[in-house]
């Protein structure tokens, strides 16, 4: 299976939105996803990568640069989704390997405590669990 990993473009919005629905992310309207993708594609701190098989988007990864005032900066994986038909075929691993190879410095990821498969995936590819935390939200 030949895969291609590349930076996303605005034209990838529909394919990204379709793949996103597999993990229960809220499906955005076509205009909403195009707007978000445009913002990320033109951002200096966000990057979105897609993985294609035969011209079809089967996975994506969002990476952003996180600056911290009192600690080291790092890259963070903001999302990684692979079409269920292509899981277990190295797509997620290839997307993560690509960003690890092309970005200098620490790369982090946060996973919902309920997504045990995600925890196992990241640990299997060399990520080390550093801490547990609570997320608080206002508004």
């Amino acid at each position: 299976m030949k895969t291609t990993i590349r930076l996303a473009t605005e034209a990838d919005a529909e394919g990204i939105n379709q793949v996103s629905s597999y993990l229960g992310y809220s499906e955005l309207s076509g205009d909403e996803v195009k707007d978000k993708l445009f913002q990320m594609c033109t951002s200096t701190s966000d990057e979105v990568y897609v993985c294609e098989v035969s011209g079809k988007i089967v996975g994506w990864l969002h990476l952003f640069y996180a600056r911290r005032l009192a600690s080291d900066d790092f890259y963070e994986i903001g999302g990684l989704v692979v079409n269920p038909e292509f899981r277990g075929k190295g797509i997620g691993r290839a997307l993560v390997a690509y960003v690890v190879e092309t970005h200098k410095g620490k790369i982090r990821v946060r996973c919902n405590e309920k997504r045990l498969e995600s925890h196992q995936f990241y640990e299997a590819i060399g990520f080390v669990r550093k801490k547990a935390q609570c997320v608080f939200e206002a508004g």
Side-chain angles (χ1 to χ4, degrees), residues 62-66 68 74-78 107-110:
H62 168 219
L63 186 75
F64 64 92
Y65 192 69
R68 297 295 184 258
F74 56 92
Y75 290 96
E76 184 166 334
I77 296 172
I107 296 182
R108 293 183 181 170
V109 63
R110 299 170 204 264

Side-chain angles (χ1 to χ4, degrees), residues 38-102:
F38 173 77
Q39 290 173 28
M40 289 184 176
C41 288
T42 57
S43 166
T44 59
S45 59
D46 292 280
E47 297 171 349
V48 178
Y49 295 90
V50 294
C51 182
E52 292 180 316
V53 173
S54 302
K56 176 183 176 182
I57 294 174
V58 298
W60 61 260
L61 183 147
H62 168 219
L63 186 75
F64 64 92
Y65 192 69
R67 294 191 185 280
R68 297 295 184 258
L69 183 60
S71 61
D72 292 338
D73 298 345
F74 56 92
Y75 290 96
E76 184 166 334
I77 296 172
L80 171 63
V81 183
V82 175
N83 178 321
E85 295 175 32
F86 291 86
R87 289 191 190 143
K89 298 181 185 210
I91 303 295
R93 180 183 293 263
L95 281 161
V96 173
Y98 184 84
V99 298
V100 167
E101 291 169 13
T102 57

